[in-house]
Amino acid sequence: MAKFSFGETMHLDDSLNTYLDAHFDTVVEDLRQWLHIPSISTLPEHLGDVAEAARWAVRRLTDIGFPEAAVVETSGHPLVLAKWVVDPSQPTLLIYGHYDVQPVDPLDQWLSPPFEATIRDGYIYGRGASDDKGQIVLVLAALEAWAKVAGGPPINITLLLEGEEEAGGEAVARFVSDHLNLLAADTVLICDTHMVSAQQPSLIVGLRGILCAELTIRGAKSDLHSGGYGGIAPNPLHALCLLLARLKGEDGRINIAPLAARIPQAEPAERRFWQEDPLDITKKLLEEMGVGEMVGENEYPPLERVGIRPTLEVHGICGGFTGAGSKTVIPAEATAKISMRLSAGLDPEEVYSWLEEAARAALPRGYRLTVRNLHGGKGISISADQAAIKAAGEAVAAIFATRPVLMREGGSIPIAAQLHELLQVPVVLLGFGLPDDAVHAPNERFSLDQLKKGMKTIALYLGLLRQR
Ligand SMILES: [Zn+2]
């Protein structure tokens, strides 16, 4: 790995700072344009929009001055790959982001149309504003400033954008394993996370992995009338509820025996941070949820539960009759979609086998169960003791005028773990979202102030990575 230099004055070069301030309106306009393309990766009717969002990125990268920028077709949604080699003796930064977005339902809860980006009270509202188009746009703004002020970025850049992060990310996973030489880098930068608050910046040093599965229970060979068969017929919906309650009880404990032994222990300092919660994050979490008390494993601090503990959540149950009025049907089949968030170090494939075994053991008598592994991804735990992470901390401290705290994020970015594992280089998770950005929810937004500070932080960071 190339060495990074330190000890320079930690402030953004005046000409870069002036350029970024002077062109901020253009950056916002760029983001507005990109947000107008409804690139919802999970809905087939938006296939063309996802491709258009990829082409938009290539046009933008070409405008900035990238000598190589292209759409890469895959068996799924396309990728965008761009390269700018300025000096082979300088380190290479691989930047990852995603240009696809989540669906927008419930549409009636949006205060402005999700694909007509609207600016209100210092925020830009629209699906993808924070996750992740806004965060890519700020990286592009930093690169453009370097291009205009210095003729190019201070280090070599490889940029990889994917169009199905919100839908499993299979194409990018395959592309990464097949093209390791093309993606070789000294550091990976991912801007797709959030900070503690606008006042307290943070760097992410851990992400949980994920496992998504589907459980289907079958009873009789067809739906039955509850008058003729109620009392003797198997009811898969009821059996499914019993099974789910056995997998995770009221105490929040997940009853998958091998899991408990494999949950990593955190450092004492981090444990103390969770217990003392000096930033009052627990209170903010309660406010964000709009509830009076938390549920789950009450013997663990809430920050530990959202940061490192495994979870098991039910996302949807399907079966029987759910229309208006009543219909006294005993359904023949019931299905639940579930997911588990996994502590770093746990292999989703292995956890899936434990889950399947535990689900079979928890199945009430008289039913048949099918378990399907929908998709999974590993978590990541990052040592903050690496030059590339420290430099990111310096850049954040300089622009936000506050030293960042190191946090774990409960969410999952499987590509982060994959790039770390395959390239064997530091992965820097430096995101500028805020907890109340409403990602994946109605009225998603991104703070214009975070957008501005974000592009300046990245511009400074790129300079810090340059080897003198
Ligand atoms: Zn994202």
Side-chain angles (χ1 to χ4, degrees):
M1 186 190 125
K3 274 202 217 110
F4 301 111
S5 59
F6 288 95
E8 302 291 316
T9 327
M10 291 298 169
H11 83 275
L12 183 60
D13 175 86
D14 283 344
S15 45
L16 288 169
N17 194 43
T18 308
Y19 183 92
L20 285 168
D21 278 336
H23 290 82
F24 187 60
D25 289 350
T26 329
V27 176
V28 176
E29 180 52 30
D30 263 350
L31 176 54
R32 241 172 43 79
Q33 275 185 21
W34 209 13
L35 290 176
H36 275 219
I37 307 169
S39 47
I40 306 173
S41 52
T42 201
L43 301 178
E45 60 267 36
H46 287 284
L47 204 69
D49 297 316
V50 178
E52 176 52 25
R55 288 193 295 271
W56 185 95
V58 171
R59 285 197 296 273
R60 184 77 190 91
L61 289 159
T62 310
D63 279 352
I64 289 171
F66 269 84
E68 294 174 60
V71 169
V72 180
E73 296 300 338
T74 72
S75 54
H77 294 298
L79 300 167
V80 171
L81 183 68
K83 268 182 170 290
W84 197 334
V85 179
V86 288
D87 176 354
S89 71
Q90 285 293 334
T92 298
L93 180 67
L94 170 62
I95 302 170
Y96 161 88
H98 64 93
Y99 63 83
D100 62 322
V101 300
Q102 284 272 322
V104 294
D105 47 288
L107 192 56
D108 59 349
Q109 288 183 23
W110 285 79
L111 298 175
S112 52
F115 297 110
E116 284 171 34
T118 308
I119 291 168
R120 290 195 300 274
D121 308 325
Y123 292 89
I124 181 162
Y125 285 83
R127 173 57 87 229
S130 174
D131 181 20
D132 182 35
K133 287 175 176 168
Q135 306 217 42
I136 300 172
V137 161
L138 68 85
V139 171
L140 299 185
L143 288 164
E144 182 158 53
W146 272 97
K148 291 290 166 355
V149 168
I155 51 169
N156 305 311
I157 303 288
T158 304
L159 196 123
L160 177 66
L161 304 180
E162 72 159 311
E164 52 186 50
E165 195 270 347
E166 308 289 9
E170 278 156 34
V172 79
R174 218 168 311 121
F175 183 82
V176 167
S177 3
D178 292 350
H179 297 86
L180 282 183
N181 286 342
L182 200 59
L183 300 173
D186 300 280
T187 304
V188 175
L189 172 67
I190 299 180
C191 292
D192 190 17
T193 50
H194 66 260
M195 293 186 159
V196 173
S197 71
Q199 295 74 36
Q200 178 56 65
S202 47
L203 274 178
I204 301 297
V205 292
L207 291 165
R208 285 188 288 199
I210 189 166
L211 165 64
C212 293
E214 192 180 272
L215 308 170
T216 301
I217 295 186
R218 292 183 180 83
K221 65 181 181 184
S222 65
D223 287 0
L224 300 169
H225 189 291
S226 73
Y229 300 91
I232 56 164
N235 186 327
L237 265 175
H238 199 93
L240 186 60
C241 294
L242 283 169
L243 184 152
L244 292 169
R246 287 171 185 169
L247 283 180
K248 188 179 88 173
E250 205 178 347
D251 57 4
R253 189 63 64 86
I254 301 170
N255 298 310
I256 297 179
L259 193 62
R262 295 277 295 278
I263 300 168
Q265 293 299 305
E267 302 283 318
E270 188 161 30
R271 196 157 284 283
R272 226 173 14 254
F273 180 81
W274 289 334
Q275 264 152 9
E276 292 167 5
D277 188 13
L279 302 172
D280 248 348
I281 300 172
T282 303
K283 191 167 149 247
K284 288 190 203 98
L285 290 170
L286 279 171
E287 280 165 14
E288 281 161 32
M289 292 191 291
V291 296
E293 64 178 298
M294 292 179 172
V295 304
E297 297 174 299
N298 281 320
E299 65 273 37
Y300 296 95
L303 294 185
E304 181 166 0
R305 273 139 67 190
V306 293
I308 199 173
R309 300 279 309 161
T311 68
L312 191 156
E313 296 293 341
V314 185
H315 303 298
I317 292 185
C318 167
F321 176 73
T322 56
S326 65
K327 181 187 177 197
T328 51
V329 62
I330 298 177
E333 190 178 302
T335 297
K337 301 264 189 194
I338 66 168
S339 82
M340 296 182 70
R341 298 282 170 174
L342 307 172
S343 328
L346 284 168
D347 177 3
E349 294 295 322
E350 192 177 18
V351 176
Y352 173 75
S353 68
W354 300 339
L355 167 70
E356 189 176 6
E357 201 176 318
R360 294 207 181 284
L363 180 70
R365 281 189 57 186
Y367 296 90
R368 285 160 293 142
L369 170 70
T370 316
V371 189
R372 273 179 66 204
N373 184 345
L374 298 179
H375 68 88
K378 289 182 183 169
I380 184 172
S381 191
I382 298 160
S383 156
D385 205 22
Q386 307 174 81
I389 314 284
K390 285 182 179 161
E394 296 296 342
V396 170
I399 302 297
F400 285 77
T402 308
R403 294 207 70 76
V405 290
L406 303 175
M407 295 288 296
R408 287 174 195 268
E409 198 165 280
S412 310
I413 307 180
I415 189 77
Q418 195 196 7
L419 289 170
H420 182 63
E421 206 167 277
L422 294 176
L423 299 176
Q424 293 286 315
V425 297
V427 174
V428 179
L429 297 165
L430 175 53
F432 300 92
L434 291 176
D436 53 3
D437 279 350
V439 297
H440 296 201
N443 304 308
E444 179 178 348
R445 66 184 188 176
F446 193 41
S447 151
L448 295 178
D449 194 47
Q450 289 293 109
L451 177 64
K452 189 178 240 183
K453 284 183 179 142
M455 65 190 198
K456 291 186 177 183
T457 304
I458 299 297
L460 175 56
Y461 184 53
L462 297 176
L464 293 181
L465 293 183
R466 185 177 173 84
Q467 200 176 9
R468 319 274 149 172

